[in-house]
Amino acid sequence: MAPMSKKLVIKVTAGADAPERCSQAFTVAAVAVASGVEVSLWLTGESSWFALPGRAAEFELPHAAPLPDLLESVLAAGTVTLCTQCATRRGIVQEDTVPGVRIAGAQVFVSEIMADGVQALVY
């Protein structure tokens, strides 16, 4: 049996446009954090909006954990990154984001996913 990866990098590309896929990404990230896995959650595409205060609270999906709670748990014990290009296209700057969210680009993402002991998922 292969050893468990030491880090999980999750890129979520969906937001309110694909709520189930979005919720799955946040749920997996939060469960992994709660399980003691090092987690890096990347907000790209339409999920970029969740880097802004209050936006996660606007997300609704029946029978799903509240997105603000999931985001808060990942921020508390993991890393949340907003894609640089995605932020720029939406006019989002660092000062606009939820405390703890960083803005970084593809070079940082590639560096994270290519490290030893990393599992990457894209939703």
Side-chain angles (χ1 to χ4, degrees):
M1 185 172 191
M4 186 189 314
S5 294
K6 294 184 176 160
K7 183 172 184 178
L8 180 61
V9 179
I10 299 172
K11 179 185 268 194
V12 55
T13 62
D17 59 324
E20 288 184 330
R21 191 162 27 111
C22 176
S23 179
Q24 289 169 0
F26 278 86
T27 299
V28 168
V31 168
V33 163
S35 300
V37 176
E38 182 183 352
V39 172
S40 176
L41 179 66
W42 282 73
L43 306 177
T44 68
E46 286 303 297
S47 73
S48 300
W49 295 113
F50 300 129
L52 298 176
R55 292 301 285 265
E58 297 172 7
F59 181 87
E60 292 183 15
L61 181 63
H63 311 292
L67 204 63
D69 296 348
L70 299 173
L71 179 57
E72 184 179 317
S73 69
V74 177
L75 280 167
T79 305
V80 178
T81 306
L82 172 59
C83 163
T84 302
Q85 290 182 12
C86 300
T88 301
R89 280 191 282 275
R90 290 161 178 80
I92 301 171
V93 295
Q94 186 67 61
E95 296 75 29
D96 296 335
T97 64
V98 171
V101 172
R102 69 178 177 165
I103 297 178
Q107 180 180 3
V108 175
F109 180 76
V110 170
S111 175
E112 282 190 21
I113 64 170
M114 295 307 295
D116 289 338
V118 173
Q119 174 67 51
L121 301 173
V122 178
Y123 285 89

